[in-house]
Amino acid sequence: MSNAPTNPITPAGLAALKARYDHLLGTERPEIVEIVSWAAGNGDRSENGDYLYGRKRMREIDRELAHLARRMKAARVVDPADQPDRSRAFFGATVTLADEDDARKVVTLVGDDEQDAGTGRIGWSSPLARALRGAAVGDLRTVPLPGGEKEWEIVAITYPAPAAPATAGG
């Protein structure tokens, strides 16, 4: 069994979901409500582009709010800085890999809700992340890819530094 919950997320990842939720609920939705009510007062709604677009956009926002609420409820915050075993690749680790041609790749194992392949942030349930779980420096891991398997050597594993404990007095 892994040492991370089923839907892990970093504290920063959860903050980003919450910020998006708050923006939609507090800023974007009220603006659309205002446009829709203004447009509704302009007569024939069947040919009113502002009204029709506004209603459509409001449904999209409400769907995204519901999705974000479900994701935040299911998420379990795991702070990678608190990882006790820093010698192995677990949730939140930044792992440097080398392939058979010594081409390097650096990836950070993050929650599926915060993955971004363009910045090297790979989702916890992705094939590469699953292959890397529990690996130590020097281990070889084979990753199934659409074009066949690829073997990577784990070159380095790092974690964010733990937060400095607050000291009393001064």
Side-chain angles (χ1 to χ4, degrees):
M1 198 70 205
S2 78
N3 73 335
T6 51
N7 187 27
I9 193 166
T10 63
L14 185 64
L17 287 183
K18 185 165 178 8
R20 175 72 181 149
Y21 184 91
D22 291 346
H23 171 76
L24 286 172
L25 188 65
T27 305
E28 203 167 328
R29 193 175 191 285
E31 288 170 1
I32 296 295
V33 167
E34 198 173 304
I35 289 168
V36 168
S37 57
W38 167 82
N42 289 342
D44 186 3
R45 295 176 184 181
S46 66
E47 293 180 12
N48 186 324
D50 285 328
Y51 179 80
L52 297 174
Y53 169 78
R55 295 287 303 178
K56 177 178 182 284
R57 182 65 190 127
M58 198 140 60
R59 284 191 303 274
E60 291 167 358
I61 290 171
D62 288 344
R63 258 195 312 275
E64 188 176 351
L65 284 169
H67 172 77
L68 289 168
R70 281 192 308 274
R71 297 309 297 167
M72 288 188 295
K73 188 172 195 264
R76 297 293 168 255
V77 176
V78 176
D79 190 341
D82 295 339
Q83 175 56 249
D85 182 358
R86 293 169 171 258
S87 68
R88 297 192 170 276
F90 294 116
F91 182 79
T94 297
V95 184
T96 305
L97 307 167
D99 68 9
E100 54 272 5
D101 301 321
D102 205 32
R104 302 287 170 116
K105 176 179 186 134
V106 177
V107 297
T108 301
L109 308 180
V110 296
D112 293 335
D113 291 315
E114 52 188 326
Q115 64 190 347
D116 179 0
T119 61
R121 297 166 63 82
I122 61 170
W124 183 243
S125 62
S126 71
L128 179 56
R130 285 199 309 267
L132 293 176
R133 290 180 192 175
V137 172
D139 286 359
L140 294 176
R141 292 294 167 100
T142 302
V143 182
L145 298 171
E149 292 185 334
K150 181 158 183 159
E151 191 171 70
W152 294 97
E153 179 183 353
I154 288 75
V155 178
I157 299 170
T158 59
Y159 286 90
T167 55

